[in-house]
Every structure is written in structure tokens, then in C-alpha cells.
Amino acid sequence: MKAIIVGAGMGGLSAAIALKQAGFETAVYEQVTENKPVGAAISVWSNGVKCMNYLGLHEQMVKLGGVMDTMAYVDGLTGQEMCQFSLAPLIDQVGQRPFPVARAELQLMLMQEYGIDDIHFGMRMIDITDDGTQVTATFADGSTATGDLLIGADGAKSMTRDYVLGEPTQRRYAGYVNWNGLVPVNTDFGPADQWTTYVGEGKRVSVMPVSDGRFYFFFDVPLPAGLEYDRSTAKEVLTEHFGHWAPGVQSLIETLDPMTTNRVEIFDVEPFHTWSKGRVTLVGDAGHNTTPDIGQGGCSAMEDAISLSIALRVNTLGVEDALKRYEKKRTERAGDLVLRARKRCDVTHAKDPAATQAWYDELRAEDGSGIIRGIVSNIEGNPLD
Ligand code: FAD
């Protein structure tokens, strides 16, 4: 059985590793010519880490991951702590520590695990044909690859999704822009082992630890889509939005390197429940493009990979049947996480200012249990619970 995997992001690579480990023949095709992921880092929550553990990558995750022991919210304008609490109860409940990791390092680790020389880089898929017994991908250079199934792990703007659904998909602008990057740990902003988030005015500034004494940082600002931006002006633009915020935020802006700071407009896709057509299926953002507000997009992609490999291993009525069973297992949970993230996104970014003010008030009264309950409910329901 041969699987063609299109896209070497965390979803495609996790699927490729899982299938290779299960004894399938695999071939990975990626349009870019080198490992250059968009975005500085991600938090791999406990469900994503368990997927990596399942693939035998626990040690690697420990090496790449930051140690995040506590969590705090701070009033962005005054710098006053709203709440601060230990994440130990969360780890105890779900049975695994989360690991924030630098995105490029996670990608590289997955590529190395699969076999970097076995990835076909510079191959942009432009067409899919399925004759009922084999599926063929055609690439921009005119070459083709044929297998028993095709896994479209081609991300948020997936062409495989359009093939499966039979029409192009509209992405929805979530209403805010996110700046992100890595800086050396800066304790003016928050302790080195803490996920610290400053909130106010429907905006957010946050840091979490990744390995080697670095913070992953991000700034969110509600803004229209399509504004012009020159990367070199990151500090000036962020000062425009946050210049009146607490000293920790000013220190973070001073510390960041504009040329390695990413700016991303945030979109999602309305959840849909058809992920497979014939011998073709979707993994990751191709199937469930979400806003990053609960940090679950990449974790869901990892869950897809594990679930797909199990479906292909345990079902014996053929590829099409196994893909439908995978779809049945995954679409509801993944779609639910997209909608939860959208809801959180709207509260965080003041879509309804009264709801956002109520959330700020709740944060001031929080002992951590409510927030931990929310995160646990995102993690639970994963294929490895
Ligand atoms: P991608 O990583 O996008 O990979 C898709 C790959 O397919 C790309 O390499 C692309 O080049 C390739 N490709 C596309 N089209 C073709 C084609 N036609 N032919 C060949 N190759 C193709 N998730 C979390 O779990 N935790 C977080 O903390 C988190 N934070 C985030 C913060 C931000 C600002 C954003 C934007 C997202 C965040 N996410 C987070 C979500 C996470 O980044 C995505 O869910 C994850 O990257 C999806 O992985 P993927 O493999 O499906 O897609």
C-alpha cells in the first residue's frame, strides 16, 4: 500500500512518520524548496505531545520544549497581575506536560525523523486524478506520482480540500492581526517558566518559554485585513498600538528583532464534515483551518495523523472505507475545536466589548481552576486519551 502525502508541515510529516512506522510505503511532496515555516513557535498542548509520544518522539519534544510551570494574566495598561496559578493540576488531569516549541525546530525534527532526503521538495501539486484503483498527483513541473491513496496535508489554502469538496472554499477573516517571534527570555515581561499574557482594549501580548532560554512572543491587534506593512517597521507599528501599555510590554517591543518578527492576518474556515473523496483525504489545516486562539490547530493535525494511520491499519474493507471511517472519527472533534477557537477569538478581541470586559472581570477573580477546566476540555477527546 502506497500513500502519497502532499505537504510537509506538521500534519503531513506526522502522517508520513505514522504510516512509515506502520509499514506503508510513503512519498512526501512539498512545494517549498527548504524548511522555512511561517510563524515562530507553537504551543504543543498535551494532546499533541501524546501524538508525538505515540510516534516515539517524546525525548525530542522534551529537548525542544520550554518548561511552562505557571500561567498568568496581567492588565496590559497598568501592569497589575489579574491572576496567576500553577499548571500542575492541568498536567495531572491530562497526564502530559504541554511543550511550547520553536516551529522551525519542530519541523526539522519531524523531517529528520521521516528522513529529510526522502522528502521531494520544490514539488507543487496542481492536479489530482482518482481512477477508482489508484490516485495520481500531478506537479507543476509536469511530473506525476501515483499511489493507493493521497493525503492532502497542504495547509490552510489546500487545493486537495477544493478537490474533495468539489468547489473552492472561502476562508473567513477573524478580524485581527498577529505578530510573533522569538526573543531571549526577558523577565521584565514575566518569569522564565510562565505563560504570561497581558490583555486590554481587545488586544493581547503574550510570551511562553521555548527551549534554550527563549520566549515565544505574540501581539494581537484587531485590525482590518489587507493593510500595507513593511517588516522593518515592526517596533514602530507595535509602539503605535501598545506605546501606552505597561513597562513589560515596552521592554518586549525594544527586545524584538523586526526582521524575524512575523505578521499574520488570522483566518479560519467554517467546519465541514466531508474530508474524503474516493482515495483522497485531508489532514491538518486542509481539513480544519482554525484561528490560533486555543492553540489547537497543529495539535489537531497531529491527532489526524495518528487517527488516519490507525484507520488504515485496522480496517480491511479497502482504502475508501478506511478513509470514511477516519473522517467519521475526526471531523466532529476538529470542527468543534475550530468553533471554540472562534468563540475565544471573539471574546479576546472585543467583538462585543461588554463580553470582553466581563472576561477581564472574570480573570481578576480567577484562581486558575476555570481556565484549566477550559484547556483540559480542549485536550480531552483526543485519539490517545
Ligand atoms: P502547514 O503547516 O501549513 O503545512 C502545509 C504544507 O503544505 C506547507 O509546507 C505548504 O508549503 C505545503 N503545500 C501547500 N500547498 C501545496 C501544494 N499544492 N503542493 C505541495 N505542497 C503544498 N497550532 C497549535 O497547535 N498550537 C499553537 O500554539 C498554534 N499557534 C499558531 C499561531 C499562529 C499565528 C498561527 C497562524 C497558527 C497557529 N497554530 C497553532 C496552528 C498551526 O500552525 C497549524 O494548524 C499547523 O501548522 C497546521 O499544519 P499543517 O501541516 O496542516 O499545515
Side-chain angles (χ1 to χ4, degrees):
M1 175 96 77
K2 179 174 177 186
I4 305 290
I5 296 143
V6 180
M10 60 195 81
L13 288 168
S14 301
I17 295 166
L19 289 177
K20 195 175 172 186
Q21 288 180 355
F24 290 81
E25 192 185 336
T26 54
V28 178
Y29 295 87
E30 167 55 53
Q31 66 183 359
V32 304
T33 50
E34 55 182 320
N35 173 26
K36 226 177 172 186
V38 180
I42 72 163
S43 58
V44 184
W45 285 100
S46 314
N47 50 324
V49 178
K50 284 187 187 186
C51 293
M52 296 294 99
N53 297 348
Y54 183 84
L55 298 178
L57 302 174
H58 180 68
E59 293 302 314
Q60 288 89 325
M61 289 303 289
V62 171
K63 208 164 140 213
L64 298 183
V67 176
M68 189 164 75
D69 284 334
T70 57
M71 183 171 170
Y73 278 94
V74 180
D75 181 321
L77 291 142
T78 64
Q80 268 174 354
E81 200 164 82
M82 300 162 100
C83 59
Q84 198 261 5
F85 51 90
S86 166
L87 286 171
L90 176 133
I91 297 166
D92 287 346
Q93 276 185 66
V94 298
Q96 173 61 57
R97 175 181 275 283
F99 286 122
V101 296
R103 197 181 272 262
E105 292 165 14
L106 175 67
Q107 285 282 120
L108 182 63
M109 182 273 280
L110 291 170
M111 284 180 179
Q112 284 170 337
E113 186 62 28
Y114 177 71
I116 215 158
D117 295 337
D118 296 334
I119 300 171
H120 303 273
F121 286 101
M123 300 292 281
R124 185 166 64 84
M125 181 173 72
I126 55 164
D127 191 36
I128 301 170
T129 51
D130 179 349
D131 68 6
T133 51
Q134 296 253 281
V135 58
T136 300
T138 303
F139 299 96
D141 67 358
S143 64
T144 59
T146 297
D148 299 291
L149 70 148
L150 185 145
I151 299 168
D154 47 349
K157 297 178 186 161
S158 168
M159 71 151 283
T160 316
R161 176 169 64 215
D162 296 350
Y163 168 85
V164 167
L165 294 178
E167 59 184 6
T169 317
Q170 285 298 321
R171 296 175 76 218
R172 184 197 70 107
Y173 181 53
Y176 77 96
V177 174
N178 169 284
W179 282 260
N180 65 72
L182 295 167
V183 287
V185 160
N186 172 345
T187 51
D188 293 347
F189 192 89
D193 60 353
Q194 180 164 286
W195 176 15
T196 309
T197 303
Y198 289 53
V199 291
E201 303 171 328
K203 297 184 272 192
R204 178 167 72 144
V205 190
S206 198
V207 297
M208 25 173 101
V210 300
S211 63
D212 297 332
R214 295 168 296 170
F215 270 156
Y216 163 43
F217 70 82
F218 61 84
F219 295 78
D220 288 353
V221 184
L223 284 172
L227 295 179
E228 279 195 18
Y229 178 69
D230 169 356
R231 182 180 272 268
S232 67
T233 64
K235 287 189 188 207
E236 290 75 12
V237 173
L238 290 170
T239 302
E240 248 173 62
H241 295 297
F242 295 98
H244 56 299
W245 277 39
V249 176
Q250 308 315 316
S251 171
L252 180 61
I253 296 173
E254 275 159 33
T255 317
L256 63 82
D257 173 0
M259 300 317 284
T260 58
T261 298
N262 309 293
R263 179 189 187 275
V264 201
E265 292 179 345
I266 301 299
F267 286 81
D268 68 9
V269 170
E270 191 62 29
F272 55 96
H273 296 276
T274 303
W275 285 11
S276 302
K277 180 164 133 188
R279 294 176 169 264
V280 177
T281 197
L282 305 176
V283 156
D285 280 8
H288 45 81
N289 184 195
T290 176
T291 69
D293 293 79
I294 57 170
Q296 280 290 347
C299 298
S300 271
M302 293 168 184
E303 289 188 9
D304 295 343
I306 303 306
S307 196
L308 176 59
S309 75
I310 293 172
L312 286 165
R313 263 182 14 216
V314 303
N315 293 296
T316 56
L317 299 184
V319 168
E320 299 190 11
D321 172 75
L323 296 186
K324 279 292 170 198
R325 288 179 197 281
Y326 156 69
E327 171 185 293
K328 194 164 167 224
K329 270 251 184 282
R330 290 295 304 153
T331 56
E332 194 174 323
R333 168 161 167 81
D336 183 45
L337 290 172
V338 171
L339 296 180
R340 282 184 195 206
R342 188 183 285 182
K343 204 165 158 191
R344 179 105 310 278
C345 164
D346 290 349
V347 173
T348 305
H349 302 104
K351 197 157 193 185
D352 168 2
T356 304
Q357 187 53 51
W359 178 53
Y360 295 158
D361 294 342
E362 270 169 40
L363 289 177
R364 289 193 177 86
E366 180 61 70
D367 64 1
S369 55
I371 292 174
I372 286 180
R373 212 169 25 250
I375 301 175
V376 167
S377 73
N378 299 333
I379 292 170
E380 285 181 347
N382 71 77
L384 298 171
D385 266 349

